Amino acid sequence: MEESDRVARRWEDLDIDILVKIFQSFDIIELTSGIATVCTSWRMACCDPLLWRTLDLSMMKSNFIKIPLEPYVYVDARSDKTLNHLLKTSLSLSQGNIMTLIFHFNLYVSDDLLTYTAERCPRLRRLVMPAWNRIKKTGICKAIRIWQDLESLTMPSIANPPYLLEEIASNCKNFSELKVMGPFDNFFAATIITYLPKIRVLSLRCSMLVKDTLISILDELRNLEVLNISHCLLIEIPPPPAPRRIMRELDQYVLDKASRLREFLTCMKDSCIMCQRTRNDEGLMRWYKYEEGVWKADEVSSLSL
């Protein structure tokens, strides 16, 4: 073939579907690094909904130090700037198509940025929350009112859960899954029972859990189908003056109550490394001590990241 007969095909002339297929192999850093500015066809491909069903920021952690006053962390300005740029670029390209949003638990998102995010992904169905330190009650409540399609929430534990769960109950009619990372006491359980009585999936893995609280969950959450208490530090508190004790196995009373569930996921093995870690951390997992990404795991497949 003569050189003059050859037709050079430019990258920008590639079929959009092919470009989307290529861009699906990119991570979020690469997608937001400026490829959308190359040409019109590349921007169209970058905005394809297939690329934005999930926005996974679980690899991003804030550069912070702990401080003695609220919000108890100081976040480096460059760290905030990086998150702002990446998140706002992603939200612009996604054009409201994000259905799953995943934050790292050590990502300290500001109240304003959470609201900005909610306004630009109103169709969200699954949320993995960042740390609470810089998020105020007004910010998360405003976001929940926007996320009316929310079905699943993974969240760090919170000292005052009623305002959050009441907001979910009022606005998210299809809500069915909750995972709590951190302390889970009888007050938290009572709040779920009050505001989310129809919840179907609950994961409390790697938390401290009192036996009476577990029984309340099994007795009161009649629509519950799946309960995960794997690697929990299960405590029994007998009448005084007997001391509290760590349960090494579930008794028949608990097993009988849990028998109605479709799945009751447990692990209390002395040989299990996650069980050992929960005991060593006294029911409050210090995830930062362990291998990166271990916090993402869950025995419930729909909650694992």
Side-chain angles (χ1 to χ4, degrees), residues 28-72:
I28 188 63
I29 305 296
E30 293 166 329
L31 274 177
T32 57
S33 63
I35 60 174
T37 63
V38 170
C39 61
T40 302
S41 60
W42 281 40
R43 182 168 183 83
M44 288 176 63
C46 283
C47 294
D48 192 282
L50 286 175
L51 300 177
W52 298 105
R53 288 174 179 166
T54 296
L55 178 55
D56 186 352
L57 302 178
S58 62
M59 82 300 291
M60 289 197 68
K61 294 186 289 184
S62 296
N63 183 19
F64 71 96
I65 57 172
K66 293 184 178 181
I67 58 175
L69 302 175
E70 289 189 8
Y72 306 111

Side-chain angles (χ1 to χ4, degrees), residues 11-264:
W11 275 98
E12 59 265 36
D13 293 332
L14 274 178
D15 185 83
I16 295 293
D17 291 339
I18 295 176
L19 284 171
V20 171
K21 191 71 174 177
I22 294 170
F23 292 165
Q24 281 181 307
S25 66
F26 290 8
D27 62 27
I28 188 63
I29 305 296
E30 293 166 329
L31 274 177
T32 57
S33 63
I35 60 174
T37 63
V38 170
C39 61
T40 302
S41 60
W42 281 40
R43 182 168 183 83
M44 288 176 63
C46 283
C47 294
D48 192 282
L50 286 175
L51 300 177
W52 298 105
R53 288 174 179 166
T54 296
L55 178 55
D56 186 352
L57 302 178
S58 62
M59 82 300 291
M60 289 197 68
K61 294 186 289 184
S62 296
N63 183 19
F64 71 96
I65 57 172
K66 293 184 178 181
I67 58 175
L69 302 175
E70 289 189 8
Y72 306 111
V73 291
Y74 171 79
V75 180
D76 177 71
R78 287 172 297 179
S79 181
D80 267 345
K81 185 177 180 181
T82 299
L83 173 61
N84 270 268
H85 171 74
L86 189 147
L87 189 51
K88 289 184 177 181
T89 302
S90 298
L91 293 169
S92 174
L93 293 173
S94 69
Q95 298 183 344
N97 287 303
I98 296 169
M99 312 286 275
T100 298
L101 177 58
I102 302 170
F103 291 109
H104 193 286
F105 72 95
N106 264 349
L107 188 62
Y108 293 92
V109 177
S110 70
D111 212 40
D112 290 341
L113 191 57
L114 182 69
T115 301
Y116 181 93
T117 301
E119 290 171 344
R120 286 156 181 81
C121 52
R123 300 168 58 201
L124 199 69
R125 292 185 181 177
R126 183 184 182 194
L127 173 65
V128 178
M129 280 288 294
W132 287 108
N133 298 58
R134 301 169 76 192
I135 298 173
K136 300 180 178 65
K137 176 180 177 180
T138 51
I140 186 59
C141 288
K142 184 176 180 179
I144 293 298
R145 291 181 198 121
I146 296 170
W147 287 326
Q148 296 189 6
D149 293 332
L150 192 67
E151 299 173 1
S152 175
L153 174 64
T154 295
M155 56 176 277
S157 188
I158 188 171
N160 184 27
Y163 76 83
L164 174 62
L165 300 193
E166 183 178 11
E167 205 68 55
I168 292 172
S170 299
N171 294 281
C172 310
K173 300 308 179 184
N174 295 321
F175 191 82
S176 62
E177 288 187 342
L178 178 64
K179 176 178 179 178
V180 180
M181 298 175 62
F184 187 86
D185 56 17
N186 197 57
F187 177 53
F188 208 135
T191 305
I192 293 176
I193 291 166
T194 299
Y195 294 110
L196 301 175
K198 296 183 179 180
I199 195 169
R200 295 198 299 272
V201 178
L202 178 62
S203 178
L204 307 172
R205 73 188 306 270
C206 301
S207 301
M208 179 185 289
L209 184 61
V210 174
K211 178 184 175 182
D212 287 346
T213 302
L214 174 59
I215 291 171
S216 294
I217 291 170
L218 293 170
D219 280 344
E220 302 297 333
L221 294 178
R222 302 308 301 173
N223 288 359
L224 194 65
E225 299 175 7
V226 179
L227 176 60
N228 185 12
I229 61 165
S230 298
H231 324 301
C232 279
L233 183 63
L234 193 58
I235 305 295
E236 184 172 26
I237 304 178
R244 63 195 301 181
R245 69 180 187 88
I246 297 174
M247 296 179 65
R248 297 292 179 175
E249 60 181 5
L250 294 171
D251 57 36
Q252 195 58 47
Y253 183 70
V254 171
L255 292 174
D256 286 345
K257 287 185 174 293
S259 62
R260 67 174 180 82
L261 300 175
R262 177 165 55 83
E263 286 187 271
F264 183 44

